[in-house]
Amino acid sequence: MPTKPIDRLLFAQGGLCFFCQRTLAPSDATVEHLVASANGGSNHPDNTVACCRALNTLLGRMSLKEKLRVVLNQKGEFRCPNGSAAPSKSPATQSTAQRLALVVADLRKRGAARPRTVKTLSSTIGALFQKQLTEHEVAALLGKLKAQGIVSVSGTKVTYELPPSVA
Ligand SMILES: [Zn+2]
C-alpha cells in the first residue's frame, strides 16, 4: 500500500486530479486541504484531496465557500489553471481562474519588485496577457485579487498577501 498521504490520495482518485479529473503526474500532485490548514483544516483524508499544483496555489487559503464558487464558475468543465505550462493558449480562451493563477504566479516571481500602485499593477497585468485583455477584464482581475485578500488597495497604493504556494 502507498504510505505517503499524497500517494494514498492519488491511488484513491485513480491517479486523476480531484478537480479536473485529468491524469495527475506525481511530480505535479499536491495535497489540497479543502478547509485550508491556515483556517484550521485537518490533515485527515476527509479534508484532503490530491490536485494539480497550479490549482492548489490558486485556492490558497480561500474559504471552502470561495473554493466551491471557483469550481462552480467552471460550469462542469473544470480545468485546473495549469496555464503557465501552456503559454500558447490565447488569453481569450483562459478562464478567470487560469488568469488569476497566472497573475499570482507572476506576482510571486517578482518578490519585492511587485508593482506598488494600482496603475502599475494594472499595466503589469495587461502586459502579462500581451495586452489582449480589455480594461474591464483587467479591472475584474484586480477585483478578484482584492476579494481574495491577495491585494489590498489603500488610495493608489497596493500591498500584497500572496497565498502560500501549498495550502
Ligand atoms: Zn487538475
Side-chain angles (χ1 to χ4, degrees):
M1 265 306 285
T3 49
K4 282 198 330 200
I6 185 71
D7 294 333
R8 280 200 297 270
L9 289 169
L10 263 181
F11 178 81
Q13 292 169 207
L16 305 180
C17 168
F18 183 82
F19 293 97
C20 68
Q21 302 198 313
R22 288 181 167 184
T23 303
L24 182 51
S27 60
D28 193 40
T30 55
V31 177
E32 155 69 13
H33 292 73
L34 297 173
V35 175
S37 310
N39 299 334
S42 83
N43 291 322
H44 193 274
D46 284 346
N47 188 47
T48 50
V49 299
C51 78
C52 298
R53 187 177 303 277
L55 180 68
N56 197 336
T57 302
L58 172 78
L59 296 179
R61 47 184 138 162
M62 285 181 201
S63 68
L64 189 53
K65 179 174 170 179
E66 291 169 308
K67 291 179 184 179
L68 280 173
R69 195 69 256 168
V70 169
V71 172
L72 291 170
N73 281 348
Q74 305 301 311
K75 304 190 194 313
E77 305 226 337
F78 197 90
R79 288 284 172 262
C80 282
N82 301 335
S84 48
S88 59
K89 204 165 183 201
S90 148
T93 60
Q94 287 167 345
S95 69
T96 306
Q98 287 170 326
R99 288 175 182 170
L100 264 182
L102 284 173
V103 172
V104 171
D106 184 68
L107 289 171
R108 197 186 296 286
K109 256 193 319 206
R110 287 171 189 272
R114 286 170 202 138
R116 284 161 199 221
T117 64
V118 176
K119 207 172 155 194
T120 49
L121 177 58
S122 298
S123 59
T124 300
I125 292 174
L128 184 63
F129 295 98
Q130 295 95 41
K131 300 193 163 65
Q132 290 189 42
L133 299 190
T134 64
E135 235 172 84
H136 179 77
E137 286 173 314
V138 171
L141 276 175
L142 207 53
K144 290 261 181 201
L145 289 168
K146 280 195 271 185
Q148 292 176 14
I150 297 169
V151 165
S152 306
V153 175
S154 157
T156 58
K157 295 260 185 279
V158 180
T159 52
Y160 301 90
E161 187 164 345
L162 296 179
S165 46
V166 174

